[in-house]
Amino acid sequence: MQFPKILEKEELDLVHFPYFSVPIYYRRPFVITIHDLIIHHYPTGKASTLPSPIYYAKLLGYKYVIKKAAQKAQKVITVSEATKEEIVSI
């Protein structure tokens, strides 16, 4: 909960988030790394210990956060050309 406040206080020119989980209301420039989109391909929840309704609520949250982060990022770093193509198509 404090992380976005810390980032704003520091007035950074650019932040790299090495994971898609960017504070939703962060307004300054940032770069993200998206390693893969496995959850987009296999959203079954079989590997999760969460009850199905909670798992699917988190899945919707994940999809929202990753979409907004990719749209707002100055640049998106990917680990492969295949991941890049998936991100662009989704």
Side-chain angles (χ1 to χ4, degrees):
M1 298 298 286
Q2 296 298 317
F3 188 50
K5 292 176 187 175
I6 294 168
L7 291 173
E8 289 297 333
K9 180 182 169 199
E10 294 298 322
E11 298 182 12
L12 303 168
D13 293 330
L14 183 69
V15 176
H16 174 228
F17 296 102
Y19 189 61
F20 71 86
S21 189
V22 175
I24 295 170
Y25 299 111
Y26 188 65
R27 302 276 183 236
R28 297 180 71 75
F30 64 88
V31 173
I32 60 168
T33 298
I34 299 177
H35 298 273
D36 58 51
L37 296 175
I38 298 241
I39 296 175
H40 275 78
H41 298 292
Y42 306 103
T44 64
K46 290 180 181 177
S48 177
T49 58
L50 296 173
S52 291
I54 294 173
Y55 173 79
Y56 286 107
K58 284 185 74 174
L59 178 63
L60 288 174
Y62 154 80
K63 287 184 176 186
Y64 177 80
V65 169
I66 197 168
K67 179 180 179 180
K68 290 298 176 189
Q71 289 173 339
K72 291 173 27 179
Q74 300 297 307
K75 296 288 180 180
V76 177
I77 300 169
T78 64
V79 297
S80 69
E81 193 67 31
T83 301
K84 174 189 170 186
E85 290 171 9
E86 287 182 72
I87 292 166
V88 170
S89 72
I90 291 175

